[in-house]
Amino acid sequence: MDDVPGPSRASFLLGNALQISGRQSWEFHAAIARKYGSVIKLHWLFGTEALYVFDLLALSHIIKNQEKFDQPSWYVETHNMMLGPGLLSVTGDTHRKQRKMLTPVFSAKHLRTVVPIFYQVTDKLIQAISNRVPTHSESTDIDVLAWMSRAALELIGQGGIGYSFDPLIEDISDAYADAAKYFVVTATSPEMIPLRQMAPFLKHLGPSWLLRWVMEKSPVRLVRRMVQITDVLHERSLEIFRAKRAAIEAGDDSDSKDILSIMLRANMAASGEDQLPEDQLLGQMSTIIFAAMDTTSNAMARTLQLLAEHPQVQTKLRREIADAKVGSNHLDYDQLHALPYLDAVCRETLRLHPVAPMIFRQAFEDTVLPLSHPIRATDGTLLREIAVPRGTNILVSILACNRDKALWGADADEWKPERWLAPLPAEVESAAIPGVYSNMMTFSGGARGCIGFTFSQLEMKVVLSEMLANFTFELSERPAVWNLAGVSYPTASTESTKQELWLKYTVSGGAIMSVVSLSNGN
């Protein structure tokens, strides 16, 4: 790794860590990819080195070899502390067992059954937004991120754990919703990265109560805030989980189609060795909500912003949706997936703006990374493979892979939904990109690939189709700045920490009909 090129150290203690993870580090990511290529050496925390990778052969080797490359121990430990032993917080056989139990609930067969649940939530969303316009001919500003966050939490609440967090048509403050909204921003902030990487050592300080006391008294405000957030998430999750389990055991919840109910029934029916203990089931529940809320809501908000920036695309998409809805109020599962332009808009947004710009892996043994294209070493020689020592942190750049001009062409940095309506570049088709979704790395791949990406896609298509059928969006005078984080998010300025994204909107006749239908109880 000494011969792999990369930027110089920015800090003796922190290396390039803050440059790569800062809120406005987009240009740093782009610059090092342009200058150094698809494998880059970074100076990492406390004098260590890391690799920044988007070479496809190297990515395939990393993604598909979970025994050699898995989530770093610091990542697993901190997620275990914050969410419990769910999919993101376990490794090896435990991870495989959990994933096996969850896989059936994300099948197309099951997703067809949750579409009506999604529309129940979305109808209330449309009604609530419609009610806030002074007159139906006027435009007004709306914080679309706030509404997408509320909708995403309610969608995963009802579709994921069979619980309603938010009536939507009323403004009710909810501590759980607030905690869930700020979980990712707090946990993945640059200031937290050095502290999170110390987690494997902190657990050896003593019993858990002592570690908790140390964190509660921490001089770092974000650490204290993280304790508060995880307490709120855990207490409500435990309350919901125990009520749900009691209902199932009493036979009162035999028909529920939410993920938690199906998982609990499957766990009760499993043999002893395949059953998951309560802490893993509870951790699964918290993980599902965490993984589904900010990712989907921010992707939907970004899509609406892009449609406001490109009114011709918005008009074309609205026309496609309106034509499909002739004679029906809601589109079913098959109809939603038969809308090529809606699909193209979603794919292009997720390609250009992946909600998780990078993911972490760690080498768990000394190994060698093969490269699809040789890189020029610092001594001038060509490297066709790189020896990677055990313990090396690896940053998989989803952002750089999705925007690689060698694959996607000179317009790779442009938002062009039409690219999905024609054959993709031959380089993309032949590249064998190791992601689970549509020739890109947005949802990762392999055994750690996002298990719920089809659920997320369905949410996006239901919500966006109804929003565009009922409203027209334009850019607001209020600024919007997107911040790089574990899940990228918008604020009104580079200094602000409040998550928000404002657009102007007007109401169409379809929204009026939706409100009338809801008020009649239909």
Side-chain angles (χ1 to χ4, degrees):
M1 283 177 52
D2 290 342
D3 298 327
V4 177
S8 58
R9 186 192 309 272
S11 161
F12 178 78
L13 187 63
L14 302 179
N16 305 117
L18 296 186
Q19 290 175 293
I20 206 76
S21 60
R23 284 174 51 180
Q24 291 304 308
S25 62
W26 304 105
E27 179 51 34
F28 183 78
H29 281 256
I32 61 173
R34 285 193 303 265
K35 183 174 182 179
Y36 300 109
S38 57
V39 181
I40 303 162
K41 184 181 71 175
L42 296 177
H43 297 279
W44 204 236
L45 301 171
F46 317 124
T48 62
E49 295 176 340
L51 287 178
Y52 182 95
V53 178
F54 60 98
D55 177 275
L56 289 179
L57 185 57
L59 281 186
S60 183
H61 195 73
I62 293 165
I63 294 296
K64 295 180 179 179
N65 288 281
Q66 192 177 3
E67 293 78 15
K68 294 182 179 180
F69 300 93
D70 205 349
Q71 292 181 156
S73 55
W74 60 264
Y75 183 96
V76 171
E77 291 292 344
T78 52
H79 273 81
N80 202 345
M81 291 177 186
M82 295 184 289
L83 297 172
L87 268 180
L88 296 175
S89 316
V90 295
T91 58
D93 289 339
T94 305
H95 179 263
R96 283 187 283 273
K97 187 189 298 184
Q98 289 188 5
R99 194 173 177 97
K100 179 181 177 182
M101 183 167 287
L102 276 172
T103 296
V105 299
F106 294 108
S107 66
K109 178 181 178 181
H110 174 66
L111 290 178
R112 291 174 189 273
T113 69
V114 301
V115 172
I117 298 174
F118 285 0
Y119 277 117
Q120 289 172 14
V121 174
T122 309
D123 283 346
K124 291 181 180 179
L125 173 69
I126 299 301
Q127 179 187 12
I129 296 175
S130 299
N131 288 344
R132 291 171 183 266
V133 182
T135 69
H136 288 291
S137 61
E138 293 184 41
S139 66
T140 189
D141 276 12
I142 179 177
D143 182 357
V144 293
L145 180 65
W147 284 106
M148 293 302 97
S149 296
R150 290 178 67 175
L153 179 60
E154 187 64 0
L155 286 165
I156 192 60
Q158 293 201 28
I161 61 176
Y163 184 87
S164 177
F165 290 102
D166 189 340
L168 293 174
I169 54 176
E170 302 174 48
D171 288 333
I172 297 177
S173 178
D174 186 274
Y176 188 97
D178 292 340
K181 181 178 181 179
Y182 283 95
F183 178 90
V184 175
V185 174
T186 306
T188 63
S189 64
E191 296 90 335
M192 289 287 286
I193 288 181
L195 298 172
R196 291 185 65 188
Q197 297 225 351
M198 294 170 63
F201 308 101
L202 292 176
K203 70 176 184 178
H204 298 299
L205 285 178
S208 57
W209 65 263
L210 177 59
L211 178 57
R212 178 185 174 85
W213 182 86
V214 170
M215 294 175 71
E216 287 177 332
K217 303 300 180 183
S218 171
V220 182
R221 183 188 60 83
L222 286 178
V223 172
R224 300 194 303 272
R225 175 65 175 143
M226 202 69 239
V227 173
Q228 296 168 354
I229 289 172
T230 54
D231 280 351
V232 171
L233 295 178
H234 177 75
E235 288 167 10
R236 181 74 69 83
S237 295
L238 185 61
E239 174 188 328
I240 297 169
F241 174 81
R242 288 180 174 170
K244 175 73 68 175
R245 184 177 60 183
I248 290 175
E249 289 173 346
D252 299 331
D253 199 16
S254 58
D255 297 325
S256 295
K257 297 178 174 63
D258 61 271
I259 295 170
L260 181 60
S261 295
I262 294 170
M263 185 172 65
L264 285 172
R265 290 196 292 266
N267 197 56
M268 290 175 183
S271 61
E273 62 180 19
D274 291 329
Q275 281 190 336
L276 301 180
E278 179 179 297
D279 64 334
Q280 290 188 30
L281 291 169
L282 185 60
Q284 218 63 267
M285 176 181 157
S286 298
T287 300
I288 287 170
I289 294 172
F290 151 72
M293 184 183 166
D294 273 4
T295 51
T296 305
S297 63
N298 292 13
M300 293 190 296
R302 173 84 82 162
T303 305
L304 291 174
Q305 180 189 22
L306 289 164
L307 290 169
E309 292 173 359
H310 300 82
Q312 73 284 2
V313 175
Q314 186 179 165
T315 300
K316 182 177 178 180
L317 179 54
R318 183 176 292 105
R319 188 179 302 119
E320 179 185 70
I321 293 166
D323 290 345
K325 286 169 72 74
V326 170
S328 63
N329 187 28
H330 293 148
L331 301 175
D332 63 25
Y333 180 90
D334 293 312
Q335 289 173 314
L336 282 167
H337 285 79
L339 298 178
Y341 206 53
L342 176 61
D343 190 63
V345 165
C346 290
R347 288 176 191 267
E348 183 67 349
T349 301
L350 293 170
R351 180 196 70 83
L352 188 63
H353 302 291
V355 287
M358 60 181 175
I359 57 175
F360 288 92
R361 292 292 181 264
Q362 186 177 38
F364 281 85
E365 59 182 69
D366 292 340
T367 187
V368 174
L369 273 184
L371 304 179
S372 55
H373 301 288
I375 62 171
R376 183 71 60 181
T378 54
D379 63 1
T381 61
L382 287 178
L383 295 177
R384 292 178 172 79
E385 60 183 22
I386 299 170
V388 180
R390 179 178 179 270
T392 300
N393 277 303
I394 296 174
L395 285 68
V396 173
S397 180
I398 292 172
L399 185 71
C401 184
N402 284 3
R403 296 184 178 192
D404 189 352
K405 292 183 179 180
L407 294 176
W408 295 95
D411 62 355
D413 291 334
E414 300 176 39
W415 188 71
K416 289 186 173 181
E418 279 73 19
R419 77 172 75 241
W420 297 96
L421 302 178
L424 292 173
E427 291 81 3
V428 173
E429 295 284 9
S430 62
I433 298 168
V436 295
Y437 173 69
S438 191
N439 294 292
M440 61 180 97
M441 287 299 297
T442 299
F443 293 100
S444 190
R448 287 286 182 185
C450 176
I451 195 171
F453 79 94
T454 51
F455 188 95
S456 173
Q457 284 290 286
L458 185 59
E459 285 182 275
M460 285 185 69
K461 290 183 176 181
V462 168
V463 173
L464 291 173
S465 65
E466 289 300 299
M467 290 287 280
L468 292 169
N470 290 286
F471 308 116
T472 299
F473 295 93
E474 302 173 54
L475 292 177
S476 168
E477 286 78 20
R478 306 191 197 196
V481 174
W482 282 87
N483 301 273
L484 190 144
V487 174
S488 57
Y489 63 96
T491 55
S493 70
T494 54
E495 295 78 24
S496 174
T497 57
K498 181 184 179 183
Q499 300 177 65
E500 56 186 327
L501 176 62
W502 293 84
L503 296 176
K504 286 185 179 297
Y505 78 112
T506 52
V507 181
S508 68
I512 299 171
M513 290 189 292
S514 295
V515 174
V516 171
S517 176
L518 278 166
S519 64
N520 290 334
N522 296 325

